[in-house]
């Protein structure tokens, strides 16, 4: 899967900033947590809900040394959802990332 950079929505960037203030965790760690929460949620994220006007991340910054694990989890989820097109898998990565940030924001007040 060719995905080098991705942008989160403007609202997701704001939520990441607020979460960082609440928890002291860096945005990439928060994104990892949110991504996993989103993968566990039922239903597909609506990619059309999320603009691409927010913070940009390099793939390695987001996934770190666990890149293979995160991509395998995404591909497994996409297979379960019947998504096989590579472009749609990339969209799902962005969708799960954005949805996960909002889910995490709603669950975390502080550490």
């Amino acid at each position: 899967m060719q995905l080098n950079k991705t942008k989160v929505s403007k609202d997701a960037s704001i939520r990441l900033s607020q979460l960082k203030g609440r928890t002291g965790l860096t945005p990439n760690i928060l994104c990892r947590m949110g991504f996993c929460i989103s993968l566990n949620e039922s239903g597909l994220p609506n990619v059309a809900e999320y603009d691409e006007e927010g913070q940009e991340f390099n793939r390695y910054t987001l996934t770190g040394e666990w890149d293979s694990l995160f991509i395998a989890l995404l591909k497994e989820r996409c297979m379960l959802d019947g998504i096989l097109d590579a472009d749609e898998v990339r969209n799902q990565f962005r969708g799960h990332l954005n949805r996960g940030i909002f889910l995490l924001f709603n669950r975390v007040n502080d550490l």
Side-chain angles (χ1 to χ4, degrees):
M1 182 176 85
Q2 192 68 342
L3 171 72
N4 297 323
K5 294 182 180 185
T6 191
K7 283 189 173 185
V8 296
S9 71
K10 185 176 181 180
D11 289 337
S13 289
I14 293 168
R15 298 301 188 285
L16 281 174
S17 178
Q18 292 170 337
L19 278 168
K20 183 179 180 187
R22 290 180 188 177
T23 64
L25 296 172
T26 59
N28 62 320
I29 301 298
L30 294 166
C31 284
R32 291 174 190 176
M33 294 168 62
F35 182 76
C36 291
I37 291 170
S38 180
L39 288 176
N40 195 44
E41 288 288 308
S42 62
L44 295 172
N46 184 359
V47 180
E49 286 181 14
Y50 308 114
D51 60 53
E52 292 188 70
E53 298 177 12
Q55 192 171 357
E56 183 177 64
F57 291 96
N58 290 322
R59 177 172 157 183
Y60 187 77
T61 301
L62 285 176
T63 59
E65 63 187 90
W66 300 283
D67 183 68
S68 298
L69 173 67
F70 284 106
I71 298 306
L73 289 171
L74 175 65
K75 286 182 177 180
E76 180 180 356
R77 172 61 193 263
C78 286
M79 286 177 61
L80 291 172
D81 291 334
I83 298 170
L84 303 173
D85 181 58
D87 288 333
E88 186 57 28
V89 172
R90 282 191 288 278
N91 285 334
Q92 288 298 304
F93 180 82
R94 194 172 67 78
H96 282 292
L97 192 60
N98 279 283
R99 180 171 77 173
I101 292 167
F102 289 102
L103 291 170
L104 185 63
F105 181 81
N106 291 330
R107 294 180 185 188
V108 175
N109 291 323
D110 60 23
L111 286 182

